[in-house]
Amino acid sequence: MILTSIDEAAHHLKQNKVVAIPTETVYGLAANAFSEEAVQSIYDLKKRPRNNPLILHIANRNRLDNLAAFVPEKARLLADVFWPGPLTLVLEKKETIPSWITSGKKTVAIRVPDQSLTLELLQKLDFPLAAPSANLFGETSPTQPEHVVSAFGEKVPVLDGGICQKGLESTILGFDGEDVILYRHGPITLENLEKLVGKIHVKTSNQTAPEAPGMLAKHYAPKTEFYLTNDLKKLQKVFENRKIGILHFSQTFSTPSIVHQEVLSSTKDLDEAAHNLYACIRRLDESGADILIGEYVPEKGIGKAINDRLRRAATK
Ligand code: TXA
Ligand code: MG
């Protein structure tokens, strides 16, 4: 069911129902963070492991001090500059934050999304919204309402905010004393963050029990076998007897074995590439190709986040 009314979405959420909400990054599967029942429904719907904690979405940074026990100076600065926006801060949690949001951790992840409908919705609620990306665990994140409907059908009403502007999940930062740690690359780039707070330690490694399970090696994946390369023409030859789908950064080429092609940005614009990434991967997955190959984008700015998602989506 597609909702166009914010009040209707608020009504469902106040009854501890799950509603998919638009954000500037990807659609979220949202519920009242303070209702255990509501949050358990998110995990059940997504088939998400319970050891993978959720992000709290709040209306503005004044609400931060209700949730975090301690906010380091650098975190305050980052919130001042980048909120509302695609930046999640992992902070020491207040006692009042229930463990079903944080998977038992002493920290809680928080952000103010930059999406007008969802900000208005959050203003109408007296609780934060816990929301992971609105996809089944391990699958590609949704950047438009139809993607959510294809995963959850009638089970989840979707507040229609059109296509997500950024198209990639938020950058996640944590704090250790004076140190700032980057757990997930995203639309707010490492370069821009470092301009504000100095050196940041990047800790996005693949582990089985990661500190931010978005770091899981296998994630964001299409169902079709997917390989990555710096040389599409060469890899394409290896699979010549297959029906190939190709994910190009900017320029296409044709051979008889290529059955479908997608281009991230014909003008080599990395923001446009991020915006298009998940929809391109979905179309490739549904194109009838029996193997997908994609190329890395330049490893700079938001390109780091795009390459990170591509690596996790690729077949191991
Ligand atoms: O852009 C986004 O962040 C989207 C939209 C909906 O806001 N949400 C999103 O949520 O990507 P999800 O659940 O797919 O990814 C959240 C990530 C997970 O990797 C989770 O492990 C990490 O945040 N996380 C949550 N709480 C954490 C905590 N206390 N410490 C470390 N990592 C945490
Ligand atoms: Mg996710």
Side-chain angles (χ1 to χ4, degrees):
M1 187 192 0
I2 301 285
L3 304 178
T4 49
S5 144
I6 294 171
D7 285 323
E8 219 180 322
H11 175 77
H12 286 294
L13 290 163
K14 285 175 188 167
Q15 292 188 317
N16 297 334
K17 301 263 168 50
V18 174
V19 175
I21 56 165
T23 82
E24 79 281 36
T25 61
V26 301
Y27 274 76
L29 205 56
N32 176 359
F34 288 113
S35 159
E36 180 168 17
E37 175 205 346
V39 173
Q40 297 307 347
S41 317
I42 295 177
Y43 280 96
D44 291 341
L45 281 161
K46 248 187 98 90
K47 303 193 168 73
R48 176 176 174 116
R50 295 282 201 277
N51 69 354
N52 195 344
L54 304 178
I55 296 175
L56 294 186
H57 297 72
I58 57 175
N60 59 60
R61 64 188 146 72
N62 303 334
R63 299 195 181 178
L64 186 58
D65 292 297
N66 302 335
L67 307 169
F70 173 68
V71 183
E73 212 45 56
K74 284 178 183 171
R76 240 177 246 290
L77 185 61
L78 288 159
D80 283 346
V81 173
F82 292 111
W83 282 358
L87 178 67
T88 295
L89 301 178
V90 176
L91 300 166
E92 203 181 301
K93 81 174 189 73
K94 275 208 161 155
E95 288 286 327
T96 48
I97 303 296
S99 61
W100 57 75
I101 297 164
T102 63
S103 305
K105 284 173 174 291
K106 291 196 162 61
T107 52
V108 61
I110 304 172
R111 81 181 193 97
V112 179
D114 187 13
Q115 211 288 348
S116 55
L117 296 180
T118 289
L119 282 175
E120 204 179 318
L121 173 65
L122 286 165
Q123 297 285 2
K124 290 177 187 273
L125 303 172
D126 60 4
F127 48 81
L129 290 176
S133 52
N135 50 279
L136 292 167
F137 182 69
E139 296 188 358
T140 310
S141 299
T143 53
Q144 50 196 76
E146 302 75 38
H147 297 165
V148 183
V149 173
S150 80
F152 301 107
E154 288 300 301
K155 281 184 283 191
V156 178
V158 186
L159 178 61
D160 188 355
I163 299 178
C164 301
Q165 192 225 335
K166 298 291 183 193
L168 275 190
E169 301 81 359
S170 61
T171 307
I172 302 181
L173 293 181
F175 302 87
D176 183 6
E178 288 295 295
D179 291 344
V180 184
I181 301 154
L182 183 130
Y183 291 126
R184 181 171 74 183
H185 287 290
I188 307 283
T189 64
L190 184 60
E191 292 90 331
N192 283 341
L193 292 165
E194 287 191 328
K195 273 183 211 152
L196 193 65
V197 295
K199 179 77 192 147
I200 291 176
H201 305 265
V202 176
K203 229 170 133 185
T204 57
S205 63
N206 306 328
Q207 308 160 17
T208 46
E211 278 166 78
M215 306 196 299
L216 285 172
K218 182 78 179 170
H219 217 96
Y220 316 110
K223 297 183 181 73
T224 318
E225 263 180 275
F226 178 42
Y227 296 96
L228 274 175
T229 178
N230 280 311
D231 189 342
L232 283 174
K233 285 193 174 151
K234 196 164 150 200
L235 187 61
Q236 172 277 130
K237 286 208 182 88
V238 176
F239 297 117
E240 237 162 14
N241 55 344
R242 310 273 298 267
K243 286 191 276 179
I244 305 174
I246 300 201
L247 182 63
H248 299 271
F249 175 39
S250 62
Q251 268 201 317
T252 62
F253 57 88
S254 290
T255 69
S257 45
I258 299 175
V259 298
H260 190 92
Q261 321 208 43
E262 292 285 341
V263 176
L264 291 175
S265 169
S266 56
T267 58
K268 302 191 179 188
D269 175 337
L270 286 169
D271 289 317
E272 186 185 22
H275 175 81
N276 290 330
L277 179 69
Y278 289 139
C280 285
I281 290 179
R282 281 167 187 267
R283 284 195 295 271
L284 281 162
D285 210 10
E286 287 155 14
S287 67
D290 59 24
I291 188 158
L292 306 179
I293 60 180
E295 64 182 332
Y296 292 102
V297 303
E299 181 77 17
K300 58 173 193 223
I302 198 173
K304 286 201 179 84
I306 298 173
N307 286 334
D308 167 80
R309 304 306 191 275
L310 286 171
R311 277 188 210 100
R312 292 174 208 272
T315 307
K316 301 297 175 306

